Amino acid sequence: RVRPIVAIDGPAGAGKSSVARRLAERLGFVLVDTGALYRTVALAAERAAVPFDDGEALAQLARSLVESNAIVFERSSGGPKVKLFGEDVSDAIRTPEMGLGASTVSAHGGVRAALLDLQRQMGASGGVVLEGRDIGTVVFPDAEVKFFLTASPEIRAGRRYKELTDKGQVVTFERILEEVKQRDANDMNRAHAPLRQAETAILIDSSGSTVDITVSKMAAIVLAKI
Ligand code: C5P
């Protein structure tokens, strides 16, 4: 590839979204938030009343969403937007319920398989930062640069709490911490593409660091490789 693929994996709330967005801006790369794909499938499933434990029905739903190009990522001045059948669902997928929903839905192998080619297409031409759980291990094992971004559960819950309350959502810290731990357990213990650090991934702990410092560190590593 002339332009590299940068994979960023890590647990919920490690700061991946802000770090990935800023890193992509800094490098002039396209950003692909793969969590948004799983969240959108969860939202579509909820709306279609497909139970989150029915792997076959969920896989079929995910395949039909992909085949009909129902999920579209758009760049806009206000940040990236996600559309489902033309409707802007960027906010609707950002609730704690859809976070947990995505975690449940994404545990089904058929759902992951349905979204695999789409993610590969989105990154194929390079010059892209892909953010998720299994980018460096499954989606692009040959990515030129792989990061595993993490932070302690309390720090991650604190960040998510601030993010949600800033948006006016009513949540408690304890509930968020519980969700963070629940999602870690879901993501790390699932049979299909569990969350783990790829052998060749560079570990970045953002616990004591600002987004700025973390992004600068990562940008320097990418630029040194290209
Ligand atoms: O990153 P985000 O919080 O939006 O992801 C929501 C959920 O989607 C994660 O908890 C995880 O279960 C799932 N996911 C995944 N693989 C990815 C991205 C997200 O399984 N590449």
Side-chain angles (χ1 to χ4, degrees), residues 2-179:
V2 184
R3 287 159 59 80
I5 289 180
V6 178
I8 306 181
D9 292 306
K16 270 188 315 203
S17 330
S18 5
V19 166
R21 178 165 36 85
R22 299 265 294 277
L23 181 65
E25 274 166 18
R26 183 87 67 98
L27 298 167
F29 284 16
V30 169
L31 171 69
V32 177
D33 169 7
T34 62
L37 277 179
Y38 290 98
R39 286 171 181 266
T40 306
V41 171
L43 182 70
E46 190 194 56
R47 289 181 173 179
V50 176
F52 285 178
D53 61 357
D54 189 342
E56 199 31 64
L58 289 167
Q60 205 175 331
L61 172 68
R63 282 193 294 271
S64 78
L65 291 173
V66 170
E67 275 160 24
S68 57
N69 293 314
I71 306 175
V72 175
F73 284 9
E74 259 179 31
R75 269 176 281 173
S76 79
S77 50
K81 288 211 177 313
V82 184
K83 293 201 165 165
L84 175 61
F85 293 113
E87 175 197 346
D88 183 356
V89 294
S90 315
D91 290 333
I93 61 170
R94 292 287 152 215
T95 62
E97 287 70 27
M98 284 307 123
L100 262 184
S103 177
T104 310
V105 160
S106 67
H108 299 290
V111 172
R112 307 201 69 85
L115 300 180
L116 191 55
D117 278 347
L118 180 58
Q119 295 173 79
R120 288 186 174 149
Q121 279 165 28
M122 287 171 147
S125 51
V128 61
V129 174
L130 287 114
E131 178 223 317
R133 299 293 189 290
D134 62 341
I135 308 302
T137 51
V138 175
V139 182
F140 283 109
D142 65 341
E144 280 76 9
V145 189
K146 299 179 193 177
F147 292 109
F148 194 81
L149 186 67
T150 190
S152 73
E154 286 72 20
I155 295 242
R156 292 190 276 125
R159 288 177 185 156
R160 191 137 289 209
Y161 175 76
K162 185 173 180 309
E163 205 177 286
L164 293 172
T165 48
D166 282 355
K167 279 191 203 156
Q169 294 193 23
V170 183
V171 289
T172 66
F173 176 78
E174 287 68 30
R175 164 109 193 275
I176 300 291
L177 180 60
E178 205 38 57
E179 267 168 21

